[in-house]
Amino acid sequence: MQTRTVEVEGLAIAVREAGPPNAPGLLLLHGWPQSSYAFEAIINQLARNQRVIAPDLPGIGASQGLPRSGEKAYLAELIGGLIEACGLRQVIVAGHDVGGQIVFALLRDKPGKLCGAVIMDVVIPGVAPWEKVIHNPHIWHFAFHAIPVLPEMLVSGHERVYFDFFFDTLSEEKSAIPPKARDICAKAYSRPESLKAGFDWYRAFAEDAKANAAAPAVSIGTPVLYLRGSAESGDIADYLDGLRSAGLSQVEGDIIAGCGHFAADENPTALAARLVRFREEISA
């Protein structure tokens, strides 16, 4: 695995990269509060027959420059530019958490760019069961993170302890996310612009929901795999029904055993195997 920086629309996007240069592409998008390091344990497994690229999302970690908004349509444009800049072909984009929301925006706006898509452990703004999720009092941080300025004031300098709360609460076994990984995540958001970029993802949810609420004129036939950890709350069937109602015609779902929200950390072997199998299924 190597690291480098790719320029996209004036932003420097740091990427981890592995695999044969001319192999089919697999782009891995992390979520909050993580960086591309979230995929450290699986990149080399996935890179045997694929060219794997895992970026730090714009503004996060080693990626430099503050994106102009956290709207997923805009971030999807940037990721589309990254795909082109890297010369990826036969691309599958797999996104976890906020990364999965970006994948949905890519599917909606530029379905021709992808030969497959994976959305992991996330609800899509404006797509069922969105309304049920945002009214759940246990998902308090969606509202808190959307407040202007205040989250940065309170969390800055305390990233590690704040992020620990989510790692401990949302994982099935908190020891699956070791101190080194937690330190790297905290550092990835330690710059003021990085912390703002992360909270801006939440501040954009209302606009994201408006964009996603309008079903596409024609159904999107790109193969989509929706994954959820076995210890995640909610019924996966509700998420699959929502994606189908939003215009995705080829959606299947699966459960990653032995994990909560952070499958790449909690059960990397099972996640890597499922991603490899998805490539095989859509290539058959």
Side-chain angles (χ1 to χ4, degrees):
M1 186 184 67
Q2 299 178 333
T3 60
R4 64 185 176 108
T5 299
V6 180
E7 184 172 335
V8 179
E9 294 189 19
L11 300 174
I13 307 298
V15 303
R16 299 169 186 266
E17 184 173 16
N22 296 319
L26 174 62
L27 191 65
L28 302 172
L29 304 180
H30 67 85
W32 191 89
Q34 296 185 290
S35 69
S36 61
Y37 184 80
F39 302 109
E40 181 82 0
I42 66 172
I43 287 177
N44 286 331
Q45 296 179 60
L46 295 170
R48 290 168 187 157
N49 298 299
Q50 299 178 99
R51 183 181 173 198
V52 181
I53 291 182
D56 285 347
L57 289 178
I60 305 302
S63 291
Q64 299 294 316
L66 181 64
R68 68 172 185 257
S69 87
E71 291 182 29
K72 309 313 171 293
Y74 165 61
L75 296 175
E77 285 183 15
L78 295 178
I79 295 303
L82 179 65
I83 291 171
E84 292 181 3
C86 293
L88 295 179
R89 63 181 189 86
Q90 295 176 270
V91 184
I92 295 173
V93 181
H96 175 255
D97 189 80
V98 166
Q101 296 175 351
I102 297 171
V103 171
F104 183 86
L106 263 174
L107 283 167
R108 185 194 65 222
D109 297 339
K110 301 180 184 296
K113 278 191 175 290
L114 310 181
C115 72
V118 184
I119 299 172
M120 298 183 278
D121 293 296
V122 72
V123 63
I124 306 300
V127 175
W130 174 250
E131 291 298 326
K132 180 178 179 180
V133 169
I134 62 173
H135 286 100
N136 180 347
H138 296 291
I139 314 296
W140 57 269
H141 63 287
F142 277 28
F144 172 58
H145 292 175
I147 299 170
V149 182
L150 182 63
E152 287 93 330
M153 292 174 57
L154 297 179
V155 176
S156 181
H158 307 284
E159 293 87 357
R160 171 60 196 271
V161 67
Y162 186 64
F163 293 175
D164 277 349
F165 171 83
F166 295 96
F167 289 133
D168 293 347
T169 301
L170 299 178
S171 58
E172 183 176 45
E173 175 49 64
K174 62 184 180 182
S175 64
I177 306 172
K180 179 182 177 181
R182 294 170 184 240
D183 289 342
I184 289 172
C185 290
K187 184 178 179 181
Y189 293 79
S190 61
R191 292 180 290 122
E193 60 268 32
S194 298
L195 200 55
K196 182 179 187 305
F199 289 136
D200 280 350
W201 298 336
Y202 294 84
R203 292 167 183 145
F205 279 173
E207 291 302 315
D208 295 338
K210 290 178 185 177
N212 294 335
V218 295
S219 64
I220 297 169
T222 306
V224 177
L225 174 64
Y226 182 86
L227 297 177
R228 203 156 180 81
S230 58
E232 279 270 58
S233 61
D235 187 343
I236 191 173
D238 293 337
Y239 293 82
L240 296 175
D241 289 345
L243 292 173
R244 293 180 183 120
S245 297
L248 305 183
S249 64
Q250 290 196 57
V251 183
E252 64 173 316
D254 212 343
I255 299 291
I256 302 299
C259 64
H261 185 67
F262 302 100
D265 300 274
E266 299 178 70
N267 196 345
T269 300
L271 176 59
R274 189 63 186 91
L275 293 176
V276 168
R277 180 154 64 94
F278 181 61
R279 168 74 72 181
E280 293 170 349
E281 290 169 352
I282 66 175
S283 300

